[in-house]
């Protein structure tokens, strides 16, 4: 899903092996993920999507930039009942960071989609199994 503040931006769902970059989007006050090939389209992650960054993640602070000291994260949503940003990353070291706090320009790759989304994609793209026909000898 894309944060409520990105609904006015062209967007598409993430796919396995997508190469992403953290980005600011024109005419919004938030940040999110874009495709490395198309920086003007937001790439929406579903809760449970796993991504790996090329380098240790950096976040923008009020005064200083900070490091998360981790590269592997799972997308999740927090504070969903409030009118505030709720797209977040939970890193393997336990730290939770809002996507809108990410420093722009950081590259990542989608490693895995949530199980329910992967199963649905398989159902819609896999060819139907052909029934076996018993052979009879003449």
């Amino acid at each position: 899903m894309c944060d409520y503040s990105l609904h006015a931006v062209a967007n598409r769902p993430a796919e396995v092996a997508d190469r992403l970059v953290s980005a600011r989007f024109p005419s919004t006050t938030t940040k999110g993920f874009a495709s490395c090939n198309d920086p003007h389209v937001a790439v929406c992650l579903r809760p449970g999507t796993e991504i790996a960054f090329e380098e240790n993640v950096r976040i923008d602070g009020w005064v200083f930039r900070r490091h998360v000291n981790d590269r592997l994260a799972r997308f999740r949503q927090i504070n969903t009942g409030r009118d505030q940003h709720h797209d977040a990353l939970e890193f393997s070291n336990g730290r939770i960071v809002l996507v809108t706090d990410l420093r722009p320009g950081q590259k990542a790759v989608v490693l895995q989609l949530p199980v329910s989304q992967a199963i649905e994609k398989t159902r819609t793209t896999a060819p139907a199994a052909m029934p076996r026909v018993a052979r009879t000898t003449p």
Side-chain angles (χ1 to χ4, degrees):
M1 295 180 62
C2 280
D3 203 84
Y4 70 93
S5 56
L6 288 175
H7 288 278
V9 175
N11 62 68
R12 67 168 180 81
E15 295 181 13
V16 172
D18 267 345
R19 301 205 53 77
L20 308 175
V21 62
S22 56
R24 289 184 203 273
F25 294 97
S27 71
T28 69
T29 59
T30 192
K31 298 175 216 157
F33 288 106
S35 168
C36 288
N37 298 330
D38 192 355
H40 299 291
V41 175
V43 177
C44 302
L45 306 177
R46 289 206 169 283
T49 301
E50 294 180 3
I51 63 173
F53 286 86
E54 287 182 351
E55 299 178 6
N56 284 333
V57 175
R58 294 162 299 184
I59 55 176
D60 286 334
W62 288 99
V63 178
F64 300 105
R65 292 185 176 138
R66 299 176 307 222
H67 293 268
V68 175
N69 294 323
D70 206 346
R71 297 176 47 218
L72 183 64
R74 180 175 288 145
F75 181 81
R76 62 182 288 189
Q77 293 186 320
I78 60 174
N79 303 321
T80 56
R82 300 181 190 160
D83 284 338
Q84 65 186 60
H85 298 292
H86 48 263
D87 287 356
L89 296 171
E90 181 175 7
F91 289 88
S92 59
N93 64 10
R95 189 153 181 199
I96 297 173
V97 173
L98 286 170
V99 171
T100 196
D101 290 341
L102 293 176
R103 185 172 177 205
Q106 299 180 88
K107 295 182 180 175
V109 64
V110 176
L111 298 177
Q112 183 173 321
L113 298 174
V115 174
S116 61
Q117 186 176 0
I119 289 171
E120 186 61 34
K121 188 168 186 115
T122 302
R123 285 184 190 153
T124 60
T125 60
M130 296 297 292
R132 288 191 159 190
V133 178
R135 291 187 135 187
T136 58
T137 55

